[in-house]
Amino acid sequence: MTKMETMLSWVDLGLIRYVDYALVKFVREQVAEQNEDLLLALLLTSHSVSLGQVCLDLDAVLATPTMLFNQEGVDSEERQQGMAQLQNWLADCQRDTWLQSLRNCPAVADEQNAYQGDQAATPFVLVEQQGRALLYLRRYWQAERTIVEGIKARLEPASRISNADIKRLLSQLFGEKQHDFEETDWQRIACGIAASNHFSIITGGPGTGKTTTVLKLLALLQAERLLRDLPPLAIRLAAPTGKAAARLNESIAQNLSGLALPDLDNLAPEKLKAVIPTQVMTLHRLLSPKPNSRQFQHNKSNPLVADIVVVDEASMIDIEMMANLFDGIEADTRVILLGDKDQLASVEAGYVLGDLCRGAVRGHYTPDTAQWIEEVCQQTIDQAYIDAHGTTLNQAVCMLRKSYRFVEGGVIHRLASLVNEEREQAHDNPKWPDLQAIFQRQESIQNRPVLQYLEQAQQDNTALSEPFKQLLLEGYGHYLAVTAAMPELGQGTGAFDDWGKQVLAAHAHFQLLVALRKGDWGVEGMNHKIEQLLVAHKRLASVDSVWYFARPVMVTQNDYSVDLMNGDIGISLLYPVNGALKQRVVFSDGKGGVRWVLPSRLQSVETVFAMTVHKSQGSEFHHTAMLLPSQHSPILTKELIYTGITRSKKHFTLIAGDKKVLESAMNSKVERVSGLGFLIQ
């Protein structure tokens, strides 16, 4: 069997995609040199994108070939043989020979000449910097370059607001520091840093006050304009998904109405609040997608007009979407990114926020920045956050370190911290007894335990355990009881609208999250199990029809024809139309009301009794339950567990089948290769 035939066999085994093989086959036909090791590098570069990588790190893949196998489920004997073939092939590859072949390949451009002559059309780009050799598909190299250039250009200009103005307005917004022993106010520091930079990141876990901080920041920036008799700044608010946008829209509106702003230099609070926007839209809507295209109306030749763009839930943004953002705005538009750097990386390629925030925990503020923080923000930071070698990017990032949602020391906060804390020594990594100790702490809200741990065997066709059944019946029984209280037909559409709002609110009380999509214990299998359980206990009348009454669904693709975005959740109910009850799906309208949509108009939806942890980003639930598989998988990481835990507002239940797998997952970290970490200094 030739090496090309071997590659094709990997397609049949599902180890690589056919598009990866087809690209290599095309290059082989165009390039005279038949170097099979070179073709393997090209194949793996294309394949790595399907794993979320931006590029192929030649050293990393030679050292750890298993990073190429990020698949769900148990591998068959044939797949294991295919993996062994690939590992053996890589074992025979030599880095220097591999690298020299890439340099000589007409299909590969070097970074310095990637836009010149024949190299301008090459499908691959090789970047060699600081001892690293990274091989990109050109499209992802271009996206990364756009982000790097966009951020660097915004880090260079001096602040347009004087330090004296920032200091004065911060003092009015946050109050004067009363005592030296007061704890550091990181919200105040974040506000000051973002006000003084044209690009900034405010990161922090749930409940650390990112929304409050950005509202005070926008108040400061608008006040500075109005006090100089200048027009207010044009501010646009965005989020990656419809669900995240709706949640931010609600959060901004609530926080702004309750925000106690002082008179800023005799500028009335109500006048200031009037120029702070509350309308949030998805990034796609912000940039206006072209029909039937990956392109956007707003681009370099037609940039969006805005003074400031604020993007929440930035951890969900993949590298191409972030590049589209920088491509679609004016060169002097201020960019503010908000998000939790420790959440799961984006579904598509890239880990942009994580890459940009790699130094956030330790701060890495230079002595000059530390002095500026003390003088302008009137805050003293610990010596541990000061680094004479801190990069320019480090100075524009601030991490909020105090959670106001989870009481410090509370069990959910302790659980999230145990999973998420960075540890320098392997022997400090969390173990099962550490986790068990937290679950055994007796804390309750309204006579219900805050934390629960359930065991669930997961062999083939294993039935749900009785405790798991009871959890699901109680969890989903709440919203199903509300659906049963349907108004009478003659009560009018207003009563049905109120009912729809109540159903959606009740549905947000409980959600089961799973790690996998496929298999008996993934989204597909669990949705079926839950439907059957609810029918058996007469919580659902029937699930025989696709659009059965009370079916919860999630939109899986943006659909502008019905103004629904990926992640929006609706419930199949009945609604009065021309004097008769007709089947409709109720969704939130994002403005405190509801919308009723014909099921036939929903082209991309799935049942959502079970939801992947990835899809849960941007959502919160009163009670979140997370089911982890009992077999090892590269998908199981500390980021996945942390993200699941932090979707909880009040209660969290962990369901697992193997303590060793759980322990391993807590000590596994998402590793996505890109050049962002060292290209922006």
Side-chain angles (χ1 to χ4, degrees):
M1 182 183 291
T2 67
K3 290 294 180 69
M4 287 299 295
E5 289 173 336
T6 298
M7 291 181 185
L8 185 58
S9 72
W10 295 344
V11 175
D12 296 333
L13 294 172
L15 291 176
I16 63 171
R17 303 168 300 174
Y18 183 78
V19 69
D20 306 324
Y21 171 79
L23 176 59
V24 172
K25 184 172 180 289
F26 170 76
V27 171
R28 183 173 180 268
E29 291 169 352
Q30 302 299 314
V31 177
E33 181 185 356
Q34 303 297 317
N35 184 316
E36 291 177 324
D37 289 351
L38 164 71
L39 297 178
L40 177 63
L42 304 185
L43 177 84
L44 296 181
T45 300
S46 179
H47 166 66
S48 66
V49 172
S50 68
L51 306 180
Q53 313 291 355
V54 175
C55 55
L56 187 74
D57 185 324
L58 301 186
D59 294 292
V61 76
L62 287 173
T64 315
T66 52
M67 69 184 293
L68 297 167
F69 310 127
N70 191 2
Q71 304 291 335
E72 293 187 9
V74 179
D75 291 310
S76 65
E77 184 177 344
E78 291 80 7
R79 279 172 56 85
Q80 291 175 352
Q81 290 174 352
M83 293 178 190
Q85 285 178 322
L86 176 53
Q87 291 184 17
N88 292 335
W89 189 349
L90 284 169
D92 293 335
C93 292
Q94 299 296 318
R95 180 190 191 273
D96 292 342
T97 304
W98 214 6
L99 199 51
Q100 192 57 49
S101 297
L102 290 168
R103 292 174 185 146
N104 296 334
C105 179
V108 181
D110 66 85
E111 186 181 27
Q112 285 69 33
N113 301 306
Y115 287 125
Q116 301 175 12
D118 294 338
Q119 293 199 10
T122 59
F124 296 90
V125 177
L126 178 64
V127 175
E128 298 180 68
Q129 286 195 25
Q130 301 181 19
R132 297 179 73 190
L134 305 178
L135 185 59
Y136 292 78
L137 286 172
R138 175 176 286 270
R139 144 183 172 192
Y140 292 98
W141 170 77
Q142 179 61 64
E144 188 172 274
R145 183 185 176 98
T146 298
I147 296 169
V148 170
E149 291 175 350
I151 292 175
K152 280 186 172 181
R154 287 168 172 80
L155 291 175
E156 292 171 0
S159 173
R160 299 180 184 181
I161 307 177
S162 70
N163 287 339
D165 286 339
I166 294 175
K167 179 178 180 179
R168 186 183 74 257
L169 293 169
L170 283 177
S171 295
Q172 294 178 59
L173 283 166
F174 291 90
E176 294 286 351
K177 185 175 181 180
Q178 300 298 319
H179 306 285
D180 290 338
F181 57 78
E182 290 179 3
E183 64 178 332
T184 302
D185 188 343
W186 287 101
Q187 290 188 11
R188 183 175 185 144
I189 293 172
C191 194
I193 286 175
S196 65
N197 284 284
H198 226 51
F199 171 82
S200 59
I201 299 174
I202 300 174
T203 186
T208 51
K210 296 185 290 292
T211 302
T212 300
T213 302
V214 81
L215 283 175
K216 289 187 176 182
L217 168 63
L218 297 180
L220 185 154
L221 296 173
Q222 291 288 38
E224 191 273 340
R225 293 278 296 183
L226 298 179
L227 291 171
R228 290 196 290 135
D229 294 324
L230 294 174
L233 297 163
I235 302 171
R236 308 298 291 272
L237 308 177
T241 67
K243 184 68 176 177
R247 182 178 154 218
L248 179 60
N249 196 88
E250 181 180 354
S251 178
I252 287 278
Q254 289 179 351
N255 279 272
L256 185 60
S257 63
L259 187 63
L261 290 176
D263 286 337
L264 298 180
D265 292 351
N266 297 319
L267 181 62
E270 295 309 313
K271 183 176 181 181
L272 191 53
K273 287 184 179 182
V275 293
I276 298 177
T278 58
Q279 186 62 42
V280 185
M281 62 179 65
T282 64
L283 276 172
H284 278 79
R285 277 206 173 281
L286 182 73
L287 299 176
S288 301
K290 294 181 178 179
N292 304 314
S293 169
R294 296 173 58 89
Q295 306 302 314
F296 290 88
Q297 303 283 356
H298 291 300
N299 49 42
K300 284 185 177 180
S301 60
N302 179 37
L304 175 76
V305 177
D307 295 304
I308 302 174
V309 172
V310 179
V311 185
D312 193 22
E313 296 290 355
S315 63
M316 301 169 67
I317 306 175
D318 63 83
I319 191 162
E320 288 194 287
M321 194 65 219
M322 189 68 81
N324 286 328
L325 172 63
F326 281 101
D327 250 346
I329 58 178
E330 296 177 310
D332 60 350
T333 297
R334 184 192 295 260
V335 176
I336 303 165
L337 301 182
L338 309 176
D340 186 346
K341 68 178 183 62
D342 297 312
Q343 282 191 30
L344 278 168
S346 58
V347 175
E348 303 298 330
Y351 189 25
V352 180
L353 189 70
D355 285 333
L356 297 177
C357 292
R358 289 197 183 276
V361 172
R362 296 184 178 272
H364 295 289
Y365 297 118
T366 63
D368 285 345
T369 299
Q371 184 177 354
W372 182 91
I373 289 172
E374 185 166 0
E375 292 177 355
V376 177
C377 302
Q378 298 178 288
Q379 297 290 302
T380 302
I381 61 174
D382 192 278
Q383 192 67 32
Y385 300 123
I386 301 175
D387 176 8
H389 303 291
T391 66
T392 305
L393 177 62
N394 293 148
Q395 316 315 303
V397 178
C398 187
M399 180 175 173
L400 305 182
R401 301 168 191 271
K402 180 178 180 180
S403 176
Y404 296 89
R405 182 200 301 173
F406 305 129
V407 178
E408 294 291 337
V411 288
I412 292 182
H413 180 268
R414 288 191 61 197
L415 184 64
S417 298
L418 174 72
V419 172
N420 190 48
E421 284 176 358
E422 293 186 3
R423 295 170 175 83
E424 296 182 0
Q425 303 296 328
H427 60 75
D428 293 329
N429 287 340
K431 306 293 191 298
W432 165 248
D434 302 321
L435 198 71
Q436 188 179 35
I438 296 177
F439 275 99
Q440 288 176 342
R441 285 176 61 100
Q442 298 299 317
E443 289 189 17
S444 61
I445 298 176
Q446 297 176 342
N447 298 320
R448 294 179 61 87
V450 173
L451 288 183
Q452 286 182 288
Y453 175 78
L454 303 179
E455 291 190 359
Q456 170 63 61
Q458 296 180 30
Q459 290 76 24
D460 289 344
N461 299 317
T462 302
L464 298 175
S465 68
E466 288 303 317
F468 194 7
K469 285 182 182 179
Q470 193 60 35
L471 173 75
L472 295 169
L473 289 169
E474 290 181 4
Y476 290 119
H478 175 59
Y479 101 87
L480 290 171
V482 179
T483 64
M486 184 174 66
E488 297 291 336
L489 179 59
Q491 291 182 253
T493 58
F496 279 82
D497 289 343
D498 291 340
W499 173 56
K501 288 171 61 176
Q502 293 168 11
V503 170
L504 290 171
H507 182 267
H509 275 250
F510 176 84
Q511 181 63 54
L512 175 68
L513 306 181
V514 297
L516 308 176
R517 286 202 58 81
K518 299 178 181 178
D520 290 339
W521 303 97
V523 167
E524 297 170 359
M526 284 308 303
N527 273 322
H528 178 71
K529 288 177 188 286
I530 295 170
E531 286 176 336
Q532 298 306 311
L533 174 69
L534 295 173
V535 169
H537 286 77
K538 298 183 172 25
R539 305 299 174 89
L540 286 175
S542 170
V543 294
D544 292 339
S545 66
V546 173
W547 287 104
Y548 58 82
F549 183 78
R551 179 193 177 196
V553 295
M554 172 184 279
V555 177
T556 57
Q557 291 183 11
N558 293 342
D559 189 343
Y560 297 101
S561 66
V562 288
D563 198 25
L564 290 172
M565 300 295 118
N566 185 2
D568 285 345
I569 290 178
I571 312 291
S572 174
L573 299 175
L574 296 174
Y575 188 73
V577 179
N578 297 326
L581 291 176
K582 301 291 186 180
Q583 200 167 48
R584 295 291 186 270
V585 183
V586 64
F587 290 90
S588 168
D589 65 1
K591 303 173 185 177
V594 293
R595 309 172 49 214
W596 299 86
V597 181
L598 272 168
S600 60
R601 298 198 64 192
L602 300 174
Q603 302 302 312
S604 301
V605 295
E606 63 184 18
T607 303
V608 74
F609 284 117
M611 175 194 301
T612 62
V613 178
H614 264 105
K615 285 288 189 181
S616 74
Q617 292 187 91
S619 301
E620 293 177 335
F621 310 98
H622 287 273
H623 184 176
T624 303
M626 180 166 61
L627 171 65
L628 297 181
S630 59
Q631 73 272 11
H632 290 279
S633 170
I635 291 173
L636 295 180
T637 62
K638 60 185 291 185
E639 289 86 356
L640 181 136
I641 297 175
Y642 170 80
T643 301
I645 294 169
T646 54
R647 298 310 89 203
S648 304
K649 286 184 176 181
K650 295 182 179 179
H651 304 275
F652 177 73
T653 301
L654 178 62
I655 308 112
D658 190 304
K659 296 182 179 67
K660 290 184 178 179
V661 172
L662 174 58
E663 187 176 288
S664 173
M666 288 193 297
N667 296 302
S668 300
K669 186 173 177 60
V670 170
E671 295 293 346
R672 287 196 170 178
V673 181
S674 82
L676 281 178
F678 67 90
L679 290 176
I680 305 175
Q681 299 296 325

